Amino acid sequence: MNKLDNMFLKIISDERFASTFDVVPSKYKSLDEGKRALNPHVKAVAEMVDQLNKKIYEAKSEMRIRNKVGPVVFTEADFKPIYNKAVSLLSK
């Protein structure tokens, strides 16, 4: 199990999340299973974790190209597409 799977499982295993959205965390073993989930809330969380990972990877790659070091910094505009994707998944 990789760090993305762990992050996804930690989010959906949260008591408040599980009880609010009727999620059975033991039903999902990985991020890929979450992305194929029938529960729209689980699917939205899985997509957000995946999209955030892609954004971080892109930013790190760009920093390497420019020979920069340090933490990855995002603006609100960077999060807008991730937010929109989650909202579209939840509104289906």
Side-chain angles (χ1 to χ4, degrees):
M1 207 182 298
N2 63 30
K3 65 182 178 181
L4 291 177
D5 291 335
N6 288 334
M7 184 185 309
F8 166 71
L9 292 173
K10 189 170 218 153
I11 293 169
I12 66 167
S13 296
D14 181 68
E15 278 183 40
R16 290 179 292 174
F17 180 85
S19 64
T20 302
F21 300 113
D22 296 324
V23 174
V24 180
S26 59
K27 189 175 175 183
Y28 308 99
K29 304 277 187 258
S30 68
L31 182 67
D32 290 332
E33 286 181 20
K35 289 169 74 175
R36 293 188 305 263
L38 296 177
N39 184 322
H41 300 97
V42 172
K43 192 172 190 170
V45 168
E47 284 294 332
M48 288 177 14
V49 169
D50 189 49
Q51 292 295 319
L52 282 171
N53 184 54
K54 287 177 183 174
K55 276 279 188 204
I56 292 169
Y57 182 78
E58 288 171 8
K60 282 183 178 180
S61 296
E62 189 174 317
M63 287 174 67
R64 262 188 239 115
I65 290 170
R66 297 170 192 246
N67 292 323
K68 292 183 178 180
V69 293
V72 175
V73 179
F74 291 118
T75 63
E76 188 174 327
D78 296 324
F79 290 108
K80 194 82 167 164
I82 297 169
Y83 172 78
N84 290 339
K85 179 146 186 159
V87 168
S88 71
L89 285 171
L90 291 173
S91 63
K92 288 183 179 179

